[in-house]
Amino acid sequence: MRGKSTTHALIDMIHHWISALDKGKSVRLLFVDYAKAFDHVDHSTVVRKLINFGIPDFLIRWICSFLTDRQQRVKLCDVFSSWVQLSGSMPQGSLLGQLTFIVLIDDLNTDCMIHKFVDDTTLSECIDKGQASQMDVNVTQLLNWSSNNHMNVNFKKTKK
C-alpha cells in the first residue's frame, strides 16, 4: 500500500506490546520466516483464493498469464547465465508479485494478534501475569495454514 512501510508495521506492533506491558501483562512473540517465501508460492492456491474473492475471470486469466512460463537468468558484470524456467514462484520485484502474495496470506489467522507485512509474519500474545500461554495453539494454527498453503516455515530463522 502506498505510504506504508515496515516502519509503520513495527510501530503498530511495538504500540500493542508496550500498551500490554504498561497494563502489567506479559508479551510473548514469534517472528516467523517462510523459507524462500516468494519462490514457493503455489499458483493454483493463489488462483483459488482469487476466485473466492470474486475477482473477475478476465483478471484471473491475466494474473495467470503473469505467473506462468516465467524465466530468469543471472547477470554478473557483462556475463549472463542461461535462462531457467521457473515453476511455482512469484516475481519479487514487481508490485503485482507483492499484491498476489498478500492475496495468498490474507486468510492466515490465529487466535492471537498477528501482523503480516508481505512475507513477514509476527504472532503476539498479551496475557495477564500468571496466565497460561496459548502460543502452542497459535503455532499449531500457523503450521496447519502453512501446510495447507504449501508454505514452508524456516525454523532456523523463526524466532521466539
Side-chain angles (χ1 to χ4, degrees):
M1 291 174 31
R2 189 175 304 275
K4 299 290 183 184
S5 68
T6 53
T7 303
H8 290 96
L10 288 170
I11 289 170
D12 185 59
M13 287 186 281
I14 290 170
H15 169 74
H16 286 289
W17 302 336
I18 298 290
S19 295
L21 293 171
D22 285 345
K23 295 175 186 170
K25 295 185 176 203
S26 294
V27 178
R28 291 186 173 78
L29 308 169
L30 181 68
F31 300 97
V32 180
D33 181 78
Y34 283 103
K36 300 195 177 266
F38 279 82
D39 294 338
H40 290 145
V41 171
D42 180 68
H43 295 169
S44 62
T45 301
V46 171
V47 169
R48 179 179 41 82
K49 291 182 181 199
L50 289 169
I51 291 168
N52 290 342
F53 275 127
I55 302 298
D57 288 345
F58 76 94
L59 284 177
I60 293 174
R61 286 193 305 274
W62 182 73
I63 291 170
C64 286
S65 175
F66 173 75
L67 294 175
T68 56
D69 296 326
R70 297 197 67 85
Q71 296 181 339
Q72 74 177 18
R73 66 180 178 173
V74 176
K75 176 184 176 189
L76 182 59
C77 297
D78 292 332
V79 179
F80 291 89
S81 70
S82 302
W83 285 100
V84 176
Q85 187 76 26
L86 300 177
S87 62
S89 65
M90 188 67 54
Q92 294 183 44
S94 68
L95 180 59
L96 187 56
Q98 292 178 5
L99 291 173
T100 307
F101 194 86
I102 290 169
V103 167
L104 174 68
I105 65 167
D106 180 68
D107 63 348
L108 168 55
N109 293 304
T110 63
D111 290 338
C112 69
M113 187 182 327
I114 187 167
H115 284 84
K116 299 175 274 188
F117 190 84
V118 190
D119 63 335
D120 295 317
T121 301
T122 304
L123 303 183
S124 303
E125 178 184 56
C126 302
I127 60 174
D128 293 324
K129 298 241 185 220
Q131 181 182 356
S133 173
Q134 296 299 309
M135 191 56 84
D136 58 339
V137 173
N138 300 313
V139 170
T140 299
Q141 292 169 340
L142 177 118
L143 292 174
N144 288 338
W145 179 92
S146 300
S147 176
N148 292 337
N149 289 275
H150 311 288
M151 298 299 291
N152 303 315
V153 174
N154 181 347
F155 292 103
K156 290 183 180 178
K157 290 186 177 179
T158 295
K159 304 291 180 193
K160 59 180 178 170

